[in-house]
C-alpha cells in the first residue's frame, strides 16, 4: 500500500499499513479512508474488520497466550527493549506518519514517538521486576504467598490524539506482564498502529501476541470481544461518554477495566507566580498537539493582580504561532482531526462570546481546505459558559479572573472531570496546599507538562479508573493469586 502524500519522500514505505494484523499475518482489505486533516485529501484505505475478524483475533491471542505467559520475564523484556530500539531508529518516519494522519506538528509528533518508545523501554525493565509477597498470618500459624499472574487476553482501545503513545502505554505493560493483546486503534489514525506492529514483528513479538484491528463498527466488535469468556481485560483510552458505554458492556462478563477518559484541566495562576514561567507553562499545557490532549489546560483561572499581564502575554504568544500542515517542519499549530472537531470548538467559542467573552486573538475557523482553527484567547469568560464544562480539544484558552485562593479551588473543582491540574505560584507551600485540595489524578506545580512513562498517569471522578505508566501500570495487567499452603 502506498500512502499518497504531498511530501513524497518523507514516509518509509516499509512502514506503510499492510492490513489487519491477526496471528502474525497481514490481511489486506479496504473500507476505512484515512484522511490528511490539513487538506482533507485521502491518504490511504485500510481494512474494516468485522465481528468475525475480531473473534479470529481472539482465537489468535488465545493460541499465543500460554506460550507467551510461559516465556521468561527476561525474554519478554528483551523483545520490548528491541521494539524500543526499533521505534527510536525509525523515529522520523513514525513522526511523519503521525503528522500525516493526525495533523499534529512534526515537533509534537517527534516528542510523541520518543515518549511512546519510552514505554517499551520502561516496561522492558519492569518485566523483570514484578514483585510477589510472602508474609505471616497475624496469628503466626501460617504463611501467605502472593503471586502475580497475567490477567489474560486484553482488548486495548486507543484514541487518535496520541496514536503511538496511547498504544505503547498499554502494550508495554500488557506484554511485560505476560498477556496477549488485541489493539483497536482509532479509525482516524490506523497507519501509526500498523507501522508499530510491523516493528514489533521485527523485534521478535511472536505471532498472535499482538493483534491489530481497525474497524468502523467499534460497538459491535467490542461487544463481541468482551462477550467472549477468554477475554479478561479491557484497557480503554478515549472519551468519558464511550468509556461509560464500555463499562456497562464489560459488566456483563465482569471484565476488568482500566479507563483513561476525558479531562477538563484547570490552570491556576496566582499573583505571586513567575509570569514568564507561567506563560511558558501555559503554552505547553494548552498547545501541545494544538490543544488535542486530555491533559490540555481547558480553563485558565488567573488571580486579579496578574490577570491583565497574563492575558496580554498569552495573546502575544498565541497570535505568533505558525499554523499549517503538521508535516511542514515550520508548523507550530496543525489542523484539528475532523470538521466535526472544528464545529465543536466553534460552537463553544461562539457561545462564550455570546455570553460576553472577548477574543483577544483568533475566535473563528480559518477558511480554505483542511480543518484549521486558529490559536485563540478568550477573556472575560463567564464561569458558567459551556466552554468551562466541556472538553474543548482545540487551541482555545478561556481565561477567568479570580480573587481568593478559596475561590480558585472551588472553581477548579467545579467539574465532573479530574485528570490533570496545574498551579503556578512561587510559594511552594501555597502550591502544595492548593494542589492537595484539587480533585485530580495529576498535578503540575510550576510545570506545564506532566506525562512521563515512569509516573502513574490517570484521573479521578469521571476522568477514569486505574493508572498507566510507572510501577503501577503493570498492575492493571496482573491478578494477584494467593497461595494458602500447609507445610
Ligand atoms: P472516542 O471515545 O470517540 O474514541 C476512542 C476510541 O474508542 C477509538 O478507538 C474509537 O474508535 C473507539 N470507540 C468509539 N465508540 C466506541 C464504542 N461504542 N465501542 C467501542 N469503542 C468505541 O475518543 P477520541 O475522540 O478518539 O479521543 C479523544 C478523547 O480521548 C478525549 O475525551 C480525551 O480526553 C480522551 N483521552 C484521554 C486520555 C487519558 O489518558 N485520560 C488520553 C488521550 C485521550
Amino acid at each position: 500500500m502506498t500512502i499518497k502524500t504531498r511530501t513524497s519522500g518523507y514516509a518509509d514505505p516499509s512502514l506503510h499499513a499492510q492490513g489487519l494484523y491477526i496471528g502474525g499475518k497481514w490481511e489486506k482489505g479496504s473500507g476505512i479512508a484515512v484522511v490528511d486533516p490539513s487538506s482533507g485529501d485521502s491518504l490511504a484505505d485500510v481494512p474494516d474488520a468485522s465481528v468475525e475478524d475480531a473473534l479470529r483475533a481472539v482465537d489468535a491471542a488465545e493460541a499465543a497466550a500460554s506460550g507467551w505467559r510461559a516465556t521468561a520475564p527476561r525474554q519478554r523484556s528483551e523483545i520490548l527493549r528491541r521494539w524500543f530500539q526499533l521505534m527510536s531508529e525509525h523515529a522520523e518516519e513514525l513522526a511523519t506518519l503521525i503528522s500525516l494522519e493526525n495533523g499534529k506538528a512534526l515537533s509534537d509528533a517527534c516528542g510523541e514517538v520518543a515518549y511512546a518508545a519510552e514505554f517499551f523501554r520502561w516496561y522492558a525493565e519492569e518485566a523483570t521486576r514484578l514483585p510477589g509477597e510472602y508474609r505471616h498470618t497475624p496469628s503466626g500459624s501460617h504463611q501467605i504467598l502472593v503471586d502475580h499472574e497475567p490477567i489474560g487476553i486484553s482488548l486495548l482501545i486507543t484514541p487518535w490524539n496520541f496514536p503511538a503513545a496511547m498504544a505503547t502505554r498499554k502494550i508495554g505493560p500488557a506484554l511485560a506482564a505476560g498477556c496477549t493483546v488485541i489493539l483497536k486503534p482509532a479509525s482516524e489514525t490506523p497507519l501509526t498502529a500498523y507501522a508499530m506492529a510491523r516493528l514489533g514483528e521485527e523485534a521478535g513479538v511472536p505471532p498472535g501476541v499482538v493483534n491489530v484491528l481497525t474497524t468502523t463498527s467499534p460497538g459491535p466488535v467490542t461487544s463481541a470481544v468482551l462477550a467472549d469468556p477468554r477475554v479478561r481485560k479491557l484497557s480503554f483510552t478515549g472519551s468519558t461518554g464511550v468509556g461509560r458505554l464500555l463499562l456497562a458492556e464489560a459488566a456483563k462478563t465482569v471484565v476488568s477495566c482500566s479507563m483513561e477518559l476525558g479531562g477538563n484541566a484547570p490552570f491556576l495562576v496566582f499573583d505571586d507566580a513567575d509570569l514568564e514561567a507561567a506563560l511558558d507553562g501555559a503554552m505547553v499545557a494548552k498547545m501541545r498537539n494544538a490543544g488535542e490532549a486530555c491533559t490540555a489546560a481547558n480553563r485558565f483561572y488567573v488571580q486579579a493582580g496578574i490577570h491583565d499581564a497574563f492575558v496580554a502575554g498569552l495573546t502575544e504568544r498565541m497570535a505568533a504561532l505558525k499554523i499549517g500542515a503538521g508535516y511542514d517542519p515550520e508548523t507550530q499549530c496543525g489542523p484539528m482531526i475532523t470538521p466535526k472537531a472544528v464545529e465543536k470548538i466553534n460552537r463553544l467559542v461562539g457561545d462564550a462570546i455570546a455570553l460576553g467573552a472577548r477574543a483577544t486573538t483568533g475566535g473563528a475557523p480559518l477558511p480554505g481546505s483542511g480543518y484549521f482553527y486558529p490559536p485563540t484567547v478568550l477573556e472575560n469568560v463567564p464561569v458558567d459558559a459551556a466552554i468551562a464544562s466541556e472538553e474543548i480539544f482545540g487551541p482555545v484558552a478561556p481565561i477567568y479572573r479570580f480573587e481568593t485562593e478559596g475561590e480558585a479551588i472551588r472553581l477548579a473543582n467545579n467539574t465532573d472531570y479530574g485528570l490533570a491540574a496545574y498551579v503556578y505560584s512561587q510559594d511552594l507551600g501555597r502550591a502544595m496546599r492548593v494542589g492537595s485540595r484539587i480533585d485530580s489524578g495529576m498535578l503540575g506545580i510550576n510545570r506545564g507538562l506532566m506525562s512521563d512513562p515512569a509516573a502513574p498517569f490517570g484521573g479521578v471522578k469521571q476522568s477514569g479508573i486505574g493508572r498507566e505508566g510507572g510501577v503501577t501500570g503493570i498492575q492493571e495487567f496482573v491478578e494477584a493469586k494467593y497461595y494458602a499452603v500447609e507445610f
Side-chain angles (χ1 to χ4, degrees):
M1 175 177 302
T2 46
I3 297 172
K4 285 178 262 163
T5 87
R6 293 188 299 171
T7 55
S8 59
Y10 262 133
D12 173 351
S14 76
L15 290 184
H16 289 181
Q18 301 178 33
L20 303 179
Y21 185 56
I22 301 177
K25 296 204 167 57
W26 294 95
E27 301 182 7
K28 291 196 186 305
S30 62
I32 304 180
V34 187
V35 169
D36 169 0
S38 68
S39 63
D41 293 346
S42 166
L43 281 173
D45 197 59
V46 301
D48 187 359
S50 63
V51 164
E52 291 69 36
D53 294 325
L55 294 176
R56 283 192 302 109
V58 178
D59 292 341
E62 169 72 4
S66 58
W68 184 247
R69 177 190 176 110
T71 52
R74 175 69 72 208
Q75 198 180 337
R76 298 202 290 266
S77 166
E78 281 168 2
I79 290 172
L80 285 170
R81 175 74 199 201
R82 274 199 296 279
W83 206 348
F84 156 75
Q85 194 66 38
L86 285 166
M87 280 187 72
S88 306
E89 284 164 19
H90 291 272
E92 206 180 322
E93 295 99 308
L94 288 173
T96 305
L97 215 44
I98 292 173
S99 284
L100 280 167
E101 62 176 355
N102 166 285
K104 70 176 70 175
L106 207 47
S107 53
D108 281 332
C110 289
E112 180 184 347
V113 175
Y115 173 53
E118 281 299 336
F119 283 104
F120 286 158
R121 177 152 67 172
W122 175 262
Y123 284 107
E125 290 157 357
E126 290 299 294
T128 58
R129 314 223 189 295
L130 250 183
E133 254 179 79
Y134 177 88
R135 58 173 75 217
H136 298 277
T137 57
S139 68
S141 63
H142 289 89
Q143 288 79 31
I144 293 169
L145 273 86
V146 182
D147 189 17
H148 290 110
E149 296 187 341
I151 196 164
I153 298 176
S154 303
L155 174 61
L156 316 178
I157 303 181
T158 52
W160 50 263
N161 68 333
F162 285 93
M166 297 302 97
T168 59
R169 200 164 79 175
K170 298 182 190 305
I171 296 171
L175 264 56
C179 300
T180 58
V181 306
I182 300 158
L183 172 68
K184 197 219 77 63
S187 48
E188 292 86 352
T189 54
L191 305 179
T192 307
Y194 285 129
M196 289 200 308
R198 235 273 296 126
L199 294 177
E201 205 176 17
E202 198 176 326
V205 176
V209 170
V210 173
N211 305 277
V212 186
L213 294 174
T214 39
T215 181
T216 54
S217 317
V221 159
T222 304
S223 299
V225 171
L226 292 179
D228 189 313
R230 295 171 295 178
V231 176
R232 297 311 313 144
K233 178 79 196 181
L234 168 64
S235 177
F236 173 77
T237 298
S239 60
T240 297
V242 173
R244 275 191 213 108
L245 290 175
L246 293 180
L247 282 167
E249 203 59 34
K252 294 180 186 162
T253 36
V254 194
V255 168
S256 162
C257 288
S258 300
M259 292 276 149
E260 293 288 346
L261 307 178
N264 183 10
F267 189 106
L268 275 52
V269 185
F270 286 90
D271 282 347
D272 60 10
D274 174 331
L275 177 63
E276 287 304 307
L279 288 168
D280 287 347
M283 290 302 288
V284 176
K286 180 73 252 180
M287 292 307 293
R288 190 164 66 119
N289 282 356
E292 294 178 317
C294 53
T295 50
N298 212 56
R299 298 169 289 150
F300 288 86
Y301 296 114
V302 185
Q303 203 164 13
I306 198 171
H307 176 273
D308 292 356
F310 185 85
V311 172
L314 196 64
T315 301
E316 192 183 325
R317 290 172 190 233
M318 292 282 271
L321 293 178
K322 186 168 183 314
I323 304 167
Y327 43 81
D328 175 346
E330 306 257 291
T331 293
Q332 294 167 299
C333 178
M336 303 294 97
I337 188 76
T338 54
K340 209 168 139 210
V342 176
E343 276 164 34
K344 179 186 178 185
I345 297 165
N346 200 30
R347 169 177 64 79
L348 291 174
V349 171
D351 169 73
I353 290 174
L355 292 173
R358 186 176 80 87
T360 59
T361 184
L366 296 180
S369 62
Y371 319 140
F372 290 96
Y373 199 94
T376 295
V377 176
L378 296 175
E379 66 168 354
N380 197 31
V381 187
V383 292
D384 54 355
I387 203 166
S389 55
E390 291 185 40
E391 223 180 351
I392 306 167
F393 241 58
V396 178
I399 302 179
Y400 311 81
R401 184 193 296 262
F402 73 86
E403 303 285 341
T404 66
E405 194 177 296
E407 185 190 0
I409 294 167
R410 186 179 55 74
L411 288 167
N413 286 336
N414 186 23
T415 173
D416 290 335
Y417 296 99
L419 188 63
Y422 305 86
V423 176
Y424 271 79
S425 166
Q426 292 189 80
D427 175 349
L428 193 57
R430 178 209 286 258
M432 294 296 290
R433 181 173 68 238
V434 170
S436 71
R437 291 180 59 198
I438 292 181
D439 301 328
S440 68
M442 300 177 287
L443 190 83
I445 293 184
N446 296 323
R447 280 194 66 185
L449 179 67
M450 53 187 49
S451 303
D452 191 312
F457 188 105
V460 299
K461 293 164 60 178
Q462 295 196 28
S463 284
I465 302 170
R467 293 292 180 271
E468 292 191 321
V471 289
T472 327
I474 200 166
Q475 298 296 335
E476 306 276 327
F477 291 96
V478 294
E479 287 279 27
K481 183 184 259 178
Y482 157 47
Y483 289 80
V485 188
E486 187 70 56
F487 59 89

